[in-house]
Amino acid sequence: MLNDAVSDLVTRADVVETIARLKSELRASSEPFVWSTVGLQNVAGIPAEIQSAWIFALRAERWSGEHYHPNSVQHMMVIDGHGRSRIGSTIGEMAAFGDGSPDNSWFVIEPGVPHEFYPIIDDMIVMSFHTAPAEALLEVSESGSIRQYA
């Protein structure tokens, strides 16, 4: 899977700085999450189908908001913190990379499957990989509104 890529990315100075910046932005915001894209050039272990990468800081004790991506498979991993996931009709536990089994660290979400996340106690940092390029990724909320991140 993408374990090697995540292991590489979380040690890079630019990614460490991005995570610190996002944590600060989240504290200053009333939004349920903030995000940044991550460059994939020179990252080992990225499969050819992965076209974009993202880091999200999610607010503790608040659902992120149910949504789905009609044009991308999402591969997501918790980098820091823990929480709950709701993917389709399944609710599960989320643990940080290296803190538990891969079954509750990695989440692969097919196109069109609604999902949301709930950080428990502390804010949570997740890394998300998509099969759509950043500029083309679509997010459809439960209200039907469409967001394009880039």
Side-chain angles (χ1 to χ4, degrees), residues 3 21 24 27 32 42 45 58 63 82 94 97 106 109 113 124 135-136:
N3 289 340
R21 177 180 53 79
S24 178
R27 284 190 295 274
N42 301 318
L58 296 102
W63 283 102
H82 67 285
M94 301 172 73
F97 183 58
W106 273 111
I109 306 164
V113 175
M124 189 166 62
E135 63 277 3

Side-chain angles (χ1 to χ4, degrees), residues 110-127:
E110 295 297 325
V113 175
H115 56 279
E116 65 179 328
F117 308 102
Y118 184 88
I120 298 172
I121 301 172
D122 295 315
D123 297 337
M124 189 166 62
I125 304 297
V126 300
M127 190 165 287

Side-chain angles (χ1 to χ4, degrees), residues 43-79:
V43 178
I46 297 290
E49 67 268 14
I50 298 300
Q51 299 295 305
S52 61
W54 310 72
I55 299 172
F56 288 86
L58 296 102
R59 185 171 310 285
E61 307 287 330
R62 188 167 169 190
W63 283 102
S64 61
E66 188 176 77
H67 64 280
Y68 66 90
H69 306 285
N71 65 336
S72 182
V73 175
Q74 178 177 346
H75 300 258
M76 194 193 83
M77 171 175 278
V78 178
I79 301 302

